[in-house]
Amino acid sequence: MDRRDFLAATAAASGALAFAGCNDSNRVAIDYSKHPKHTDKKTVHINRGKKTTIKLATSWPAHFPIMGEGVEEFASRLEAISGGSLKVKIYPKNVLVPALAVFDAASTGEIDAFHSGPYYWKGKNSAFALFSGMPFGFDAEEINSWMIYGDGLKLWRELYGRYNLYPLLGGNTNIQMGGWFRKEIKSLADMKGLKMRIPGLGGEVMAKLGVNPVLLPAGEIYTSLERGVIDATEWVGPALDIKMGFYKVAPYYYSGWHEPGSILELTFNKAFWKKLSDEQKQMIEVCSNEMNAKMTYRFHYENIHSLEKLKEYGVKLRKFPDEVTNAAKQALVDVVNELGSKNKEFALVYDSIAKHLALSKAYADISLKYFLNVR
Ligand code: CA
């Protein structure tokens, strides 16, 4: 699928769903009861209690590559594993609630759960951005180790609990690329005044380098880049970037440091979660952990293949000059200090991350970093 097809399919899907949703949103949601069952009826003897349907909204269009498809696989696996006692009704972006209203909709109980990314909610609490990760922070493996065996999930659940929410791990984009630039960056001075589409803490770091970070809806990024309304954009990595077609209008593709392993979330309305049986909770956790792992691996798989295609298209691969990277590291210190002085919860979460990261870096220096350099 090329960019135009991808965007058209995305727009058509969300448009049709949104339109139909006005009349009967149930009719347009994906019906997983029609999917083939993985279990043989004869083998299902366990009494799994009452049947429960989870109303789950996502921030992605229907069948969105990797992220949306991962949620669909989660739904299908959960139904199969539970012998049909747990069903998931997926409402893609804008079908039942707008993409960035899923947090509030789950908080109030309008929906039971959502799949999205915690950095979208930093306006509610700047600490939430840290649960996605941070520039120069954890890679996918490191953030999962902090989440599961360190204090990550504990802190996240404590802070989301105030919004009547209960988060589970829902995937990881794996390391993201630094983005697409119309002109080559040869010095820190080249960054000043650039208009770049980049959200989150990465955008705040870029702003300290003199970049003008802008937010644009996905459907407007390509045209803005083509017309020079923006000079650069980050998106995700080769697998998703290639579908957006940025290589056609911005030939310089930079390695990145701003989103080294962004977490995606599967978050439940806490009251809904509490009402589930222990057996149901464990089945959901098993499937969510599987989604968390498989989405990470799938990103890697698709990225390495898409990168080869991008090379065939003549993309110019670049790394930021040391001058830029060093300034960005200092900018991150400033951003963290500013946010930490305004919000003690940001400081608390950052402190936990900083301790885990220091140990992880010390170990990586004598293990992974060494190995990747000699491989
Ligand atoms: Ca990104």
Side-chain angles (χ1 to χ4, degrees), residues 24 63 65 132 207 229 288 314 325 339:
D24 180 359
H63 319 304
S132 291
V229 176
S288 143
T325 315
L339 291 171

Side-chain angles (χ1 to χ4, degrees), residues 180-186 190 194 231-232 249-252 254:
W180 300 87
F181 289 72
R182 282 159 58 92
K183 288 185 186 155
E184 191 169 4
I185 301 298
K186 292 182 174 165
D190 289 343
L194 280 188
D231 306 295
V249 289
Y252 296 99
Y254 279 78

Side-chain angles (χ1 to χ4, degrees), residues 294-309:
K294 286 181 81 175
M295 216 180 275
T296 314
Y297 308 148
R298 182 148 180 228
F299 263 110
H300 183 76
Y301 182 85
E302 304 275 349
N303 280 338
I304 62 178
H305 289 91
S306 296
L307 176 63
E308 288 309 298
K309 280 192 200 144

